[in-house]
């Protein structure tokens, strides 16, 4: 299975963990998949509709009023490196429980992800910015990847950066990817 499909398959599994926690309230924000992320370093390869055609969508299982959003991005300079986004908006239940559920869903998803380090929470933009929680995982017993997420009252999303060339835990900088994820947070959340 290609790396992009692996990482997104894992990310899509996360939404299943969120389903029971999404309320039917109107969202203060929507989640979108812009054409590029991280200053143009990643280009959208497939959005929610395309990925649903590949069997990765979970919208059918979402409560009324909740919307799932999936995105697969490829690094422009190296298409083997992917960013996978999996989230939902429409009113989130208890954000802490949703965050924990997303990580547990990810850890039990495809790709044999195994946690390789403690979960850590960062505020890369200071106290007024989003809290980004990250953990280091090893996928398919060979590649290390950072997985970072946020969960707020209106939305939640998990972002995975999969590079098949990362063969050691030391090759992943969680703080740096938390900062990248905070930028993605700004790019994908749009007011309703």
């Amino acid at each position: 299975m290609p790396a992009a499909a692996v990482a997104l398959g894992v990310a899509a599994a996360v939404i299943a963990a969120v389903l029971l926690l999404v309320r039917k309230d109107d969202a203060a924000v929507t989640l979108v998949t812009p054409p590029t992320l991280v200053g143009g370093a990643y280009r959208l390869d497939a959005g929610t509709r395309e990925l649903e055609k590949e069997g990765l969508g979970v919208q059918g299982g979402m409560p009324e009023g909740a919307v799932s959003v999936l995105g697969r991005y490829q690094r422009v300079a190296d298409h083997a490196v992917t960013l996978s986004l999996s989230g939902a908006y429409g009113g989130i239940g208890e954000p802490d429980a949703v965050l924990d559920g997303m990580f547990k869903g990810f850890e039990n998803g495809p790709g044999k992800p195994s946690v390789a380090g403690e979960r850590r929470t960062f505020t890369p933009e200071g106290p007024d910015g989003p809290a980004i929680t990250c953990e280091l995982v090893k996928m398919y017993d060979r590649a290390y990847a950072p997985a970072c997420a946020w969960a707020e009252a209106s939305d939640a999303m998990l972002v995975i950066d999969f590079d098949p060339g990362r063969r050691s835990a030391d090759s992943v900088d969680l703080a740096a990817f938390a900062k990248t994820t905070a930028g993605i947070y700004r790019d994908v959340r749009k007011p309703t």
Side-chain angles (χ1 to χ4, degrees):
M1 181 178 281
V6 169
L8 190 64
V10 171
V14 171
I15 290 295
V18 177
L19 296 181
L20 298 177
L21 299 169
V22 178
R23 292 191 325 236
K24 295 180 182 178
D25 298 345
D26 290 333
V29 301
T30 60
L31 296 174
V32 299
T33 51
T36 63
L37 285 173
V38 193
Y42 289 83
R43 183 159 305 161
L44 183 64
D45 177 55
T48 304
R49 286 185 186 162
E50 295 89 355
L51 295 167
E52 285 175 343
K53 288 178 184 175
E54 294 178 20
L56 295 174
V58 294
Q59 185 61 43
M62 299 291 282
E64 183 180 339
V67 179
S68 67
V69 175
L70 303 172
R72 179 175 61 217
Y73 289 79
Q74 293 180 323
R75 186 183 290 166
V76 172
D78 181 355
H79 289 186
V81 180
T82 60
L83 276 178
S84 297
L85 283 59
S86 179
Y89 67 91
I92 300 299
E94 185 179 324
D96 289 342
V98 170
L99 189 70
D100 189 55
M102 285 194 304
F103 277 107
K104 286 181 179 171
F106 169 65
E107 293 161 9
N108 293 315
K112 299 181 186 177
S114 59
V115 179
E118 270 186 49
R119 248 185 244 173
R120 296 171 53 197
T121 299
F122 302 90
T123 52
E125 296 179 352
D128 295 331
I132 305 293
T133 301
C134 302
E135 66 184 21
L136 175 65
V137 296
K138 188 174 186 182
M139 298 180 65
Y140 284 108
D141 297 324
R142 69 175 191 269
Y144 288 85
C148 291
W150 69 82
E152 297 188 353
S154 60
D155 61 287
M157 182 166 276
L158 177 81
V159 182
I160 303 163
D161 181 28
F162 185 78
D163 180 344
R166 283 197 202 109
R167 300 302 177 125
S168 72
D170 293 341
S171 65
V172 177
D173 183 340
L174 283 183
F177 192 62
K179 185 174 182 177
T180 298
T181 302
I184 292 170
Y185 170 97
R186 298 278 177 231
D187 290 340
V188 303
R189 299 175 81 249
K190 301 298 176 191
T192 56

